[in-house]
Amino acid sequence: MKIIDATDFEKMERRFRATFFNSLNGFKSVNLIGTINPRGQTNLAIFNSLFHLGANPPLIGLVVRPHTVERHTLENIIAVKEFTINQISEDFYRNAHQTAANYPKDVSEFDECGLTAEYHESCQAPFVGESRVKFALDFIEQKPIELNNTSIIIGQIKAVLIADNLISDDGFVNLEKAGTITCSGLDAYYAVKKIARLSYAKPETLPQFIR
């Protein structure tokens, strides 16, 4: 097995290093973040840095890069205090990927990338009409990470838009059935297939399969 250490890290070309470490930690969720500014200008951006923070209350964390240039998503979230998270499926992942392009602030990625802005009374910010699992969040707080000048946006889920047939009797959301995809790094997308669900782990008891 090859060993790559800190000395090797320093020798890596900048883009190689970014690609290497972005893909090293495995598969990640990939979502579209929908926002709107106080003037009604919509914005849509792809993110692969979301993570679950808790279920009661339902909290989501989102890592954002240093605010050294315009960060339309971040600025809109802080200004309006609301945003949406929209899961991506295989039938529109190329459109979703295109939202990463550096569009001007007064240009909507919904229009440029061929995606539908959908509104619900629960939230000012737009949802993605093509998404099959999506939710609205209130902005709770921003946590700065001094080590690299990134920050974590914490949002609380206040409404979920999802088809009834995607929710099992025990609350499990069937993302495979929804067609939700995953990603590795910044540009590789994967379809998902469930291997199994296993029962709650207990000492000296082998886990059972859950249908």
Side-chain angles (χ1 to χ4, degrees), residues 135-156:
F135 31 102
L137 303 95
D138 284 325
F139 168 66
I140 301 299
E141 63 178 308
Q142 181 180 9
K143 293 280 193 181
I145 308 298
E146 294 182 4
L147 191 63
N148 62 356
N149 292 321
T150 59
S151 62
I152 295 174
I153 295 295
I154 298 175
Q156 181 169 331

Side-chain angles (χ1 to χ4, degrees), residues 69-120:
V69 297
E70 284 190 338
R71 300 286 182 204
H72 304 157
T73 297
L74 173 62
E75 293 162 9
N76 291 352
I77 289 173
I78 292 174
V80 178
K81 313 298 185 188
E82 292 182 308
F83 60 104
T84 69
I85 294 176
N86 307 265
Q87 293 185 5
I88 300 168
S89 54
E90 196 168 346
D91 50 353
F92 67 95
Y93 76 96
R94 293 181 69 186
N95 308 70
H97 182 81
Q98 183 60 26
T99 66
N102 189 22
Y103 291 106
K105 192 171 187 175
D106 60 351
V107 172
S108 173
E109 288 81 2
F110 282 99
D111 298 331
E112 294 298 315
C113 302
L115 293 166
T116 307
E118 177 182 276
Y119 293 89
H120 186 269

Side-chain angles (χ1 to χ4, degrees), residues 1-210:
M1 179 175 288
K2 185 174 184 178
I3 298 176
I4 305 172
D5 61 21
T7 302
D8 300 307
F9 302 162
E10 296 302 320
K11 296 176 182 177
M12 290 177 175
E13 185 272 328
R14 185 176 67 88
R15 291 309 309 162
F16 179 95
R17 177 176 173 141
T19 301
F20 178 77
F21 284 110
N22 263 296
S23 55
L24 183 65
N25 63 329
F27 297 114
K28 298 172 281 189
S29 66
V30 58
N31 298 269
L32 287 167
I33 307 297
T35 62
I36 193 168
N37 70 17
R39 299 185 304 280
Q41 175 65 54
T42 60
N43 178 266
L44 190 64
I46 192 167
F47 277 79
N48 64 10
S49 59
L50 276 70
F51 55 94
H52 169 79
L53 270 175
N56 188 22
L59 300 175
I60 297 290
L62 167 66
V63 179
V64 295
R65 290 182 289 177
H67 198 187
T68 52
V69 297
E70 284 190 338
R71 300 286 182 204
H72 304 157
T73 297
L74 173 62
E75 293 162 9
N76 291 352
I77 289 173
I78 292 174
V80 178
K81 313 298 185 188
E82 292 182 308
F83 60 104
T84 69
I85 294 176
N86 307 265
Q87 293 185 5
I88 300 168
S89 54
E90 196 168 346
D91 50 353
F92 67 95
Y93 76 96
R94 293 181 69 186
N95 308 70
H97 182 81
Q98 183 60 26
T99 66
N102 189 22
Y103 291 106
K105 192 171 187 175
D106 60 351
V107 172
S108 173
E109 288 81 2
F110 282 99
D111 298 331
E112 294 298 315
C113 302
L115 293 166
T116 307
E118 177 182 276
Y119 293 89
H120 186 269
E121 61 184 9
S122 63
C123 185
Q124 297 179 68
F127 294 89
V128 176
E130 291 77 5
S131 177
R132 300 182 185 117
V133 180
K134 44 202 169 188
F135 31 102
L137 303 95
D138 284 325
F139 168 66
I140 301 299
E141 63 178 308
Q142 181 180 9
K143 293 280 193 181
I145 308 298
E146 294 182 4
L147 191 63
N148 62 356
N149 292 321
T150 59
S151 62
I152 295 174
I153 295 295
I154 298 175
Q156 181 169 331
I157 300 173
K158 60 179 177 176
V160 178
L161 281 65
I162 185 173
D164 286 340
N165 65 352
L166 298 180
I167 307 173
S168 300
D169 291 341
D170 66 353
F172 179 76
V173 178
N174 191 330
L175 298 185
E176 180 184 7
K177 189 174 182 180
T180 298
I181 64 170
T182 185
C183 75
S184 176
L186 300 175
D187 54 16
Y189 300 91
Y190 297 83
V192 297
K193 181 179 179 180
K194 184 180 74 173
I195 298 173
R197 286 188 72 199
L198 298 176
S199 60
Y200 187 81
K202 298 179 181 179
E204 302 178 4
T205 303
L206 288 176
Q208 303 299 307
F209 293 105
I210 300 175

